[in-house]
Amino acid sequence: MSESEVRAAVERELPGVRADLERLVRIPGIAFEGFDHSHVERSAEAVAELLRGCGLDVEIVRSGGQPAVIGKRAAPPGAPTVLLYAHHDVQPVGDLTLWESDPFEPVERDGRLYGRGAADDKAGIMAHVAALRVYGDALPVGVVLFIEGEEEYGSDSLERLLAEHRDEIASDVIVIADSTNWDIGVPALTTCLRGIVNCFVEVRTLDHPVHSGVYGGPVPDALTALARLLASLHTEAGDVAVDGLLARGGASVDYPEERFRAEAGVAEGVSLIGTGQITDRLWTKPSLAVLGIDAPATAVAPNALVPAARAKLSVRLAPGDDPKRAYAALCAHLEKHAPWGAQVNVVFEHDGDPCVIDASGPMFDAARSAFRTAWDGTEPVDLGIGGSIPFIATFQEMFPGAAILVTGVEDPHARAHGPNESLHLGEFARVCLAEALLLRNVAEAGVDAVR
């Protein structure tokens, strides 16, 4: 198909693609514990139906976790095979009062489609489906669609699934549609991602609550001790103060502070923390955040010294760091800095490897060419991501010969994981066009260019 034919086909398919995206958004497929997982099953069935409609051989698979969907079509003679990844599960919605509309009833406002999963990552699924629909029976490459069902919950069963289905999903090129573009109007390839270590730290100073007046003064309460311990995790400038965590610099582009503050929603008068250029702080240096604290709620707190308090910590690791070593360094810091001899207990939750992608070669050239065309000549940016997609390192290890293209369906205003998540519909149309062009470009490059 010529470029003009691909463009016309994308325009033809977009209304149906959007309608199917909205149907997916209406399914609250949350894989976290405590939620109704029958919705995850419904979500997997809906994805499977979409892939069957594209003429793929489809199966729903699992390996002790939530259902994933695999769809396949063999390559034409001499053509490469492309694995298209996305995930159909979504984040919990959090505080409903912060949403301007029902998170599971998609609504368009000002050119954006609002709803949980509208961007992360049901738009990724539908970008793949759009590309398949563009070509119909004339698909120029072989495809394997792998649509995961528990990415937001940590991909606990993904490695087992990949091992069990390794031969059937082996591909020459892997497209992971779960990242972001640099800006509205500027496409990007993600070439490095930070790793992650999440854990809980509990501080105990008493074996039971005691009267804050009778015992307050000489006896430390656990909440104050926890506050002092958490304060030790950063320097005065806001850099992470845990010895042993890797930090590096050298990000290829910088993020204008005014734009960054606006996109992040930083409150007026609040300073940014850390040192170095903003993209280094986001992509190539560690960060550490306190995600939550277990302690008495203020409305019901008695006048008693709190005996124990717990916090959840999340560390994002620079590319090249090792999660196991980083966790050991964090534990050592917490034990060393326990105030007043408070008892400290650290409990591991999960981790994930950082990764760096060598984004050179014919398949990356094919992707950049597709992006330039879809964005009317705008040059794509190679960017890092402060967030983590640990399974990319797993794909790198299991399929070392494959070119891994991490592409974006989101933009800086998508608010993935937060209230009022949304998808820019104009950019989504470009994403669909870019993926259709990418498949054509990969086919033209051929298997020999991959290998």
Side-chain angles (χ1 to χ4, degrees), residues 56-62 68-75 81-84 142-147 160-174 395 398-399:
L56 275 60
D57 295 326
V58 179
E59 59 181 329
I60 296 176
V61 300
R62 69 184 72 230
V69 185
I70 298 177
K72 295 182 60 180
R73 184 190 289 181
T81 295
V82 181
L83 189 154
L84 304 174
V143 293
V144 179
L145 272 81
F146 189 96
I147 311 299
R160 295 192 301 274
L161 281 171
L162 293 179
E164 292 168 8
H165 299 275
R166 181 171 186 163
D167 291 341
E168 62 186 292
I169 66 176
S171 303
D172 302 296
V173 179
I174 299 172
F395 276 107
M398 296 189 72
F399 305 107

Side-chain angles (χ1 to χ4, degrees), residues 85-89 120-122 125 147-149 151-152 178:
Y85 170 94
H87 63 86
H88 65 88
D89 66 309
D120 184 15
D121 184 32
K122 292 176 179 180
I125 298 171
I147 311 299
E148 191 188 353
E151 192 274 342
E152 299 292 11
D178 191 22

Side-chain angles (χ1 to χ4, degrees), residues 66-119:
Q66 300 297 333
V69 185
I70 298 177
K72 295 182 60 180
R73 184 190 289 181
T81 295
V82 181
L83 189 154
L84 304 174
Y85 170 94
H87 63 86
H88 65 88
D89 66 309
V90 299
Q91 281 280 325
V93 299
D95 185 351
L96 279 171
T97 65
L98 299 178
W99 287 80
E100 295 180 17
S101 54
D102 184 338
F104 294 112
E105 183 51 51
V107 175
E108 181 180 348
R109 296 194 297 272
D110 300 322
R112 303 188 71 96
L113 184 68
Y114 286 80
R116 175 58 90 223

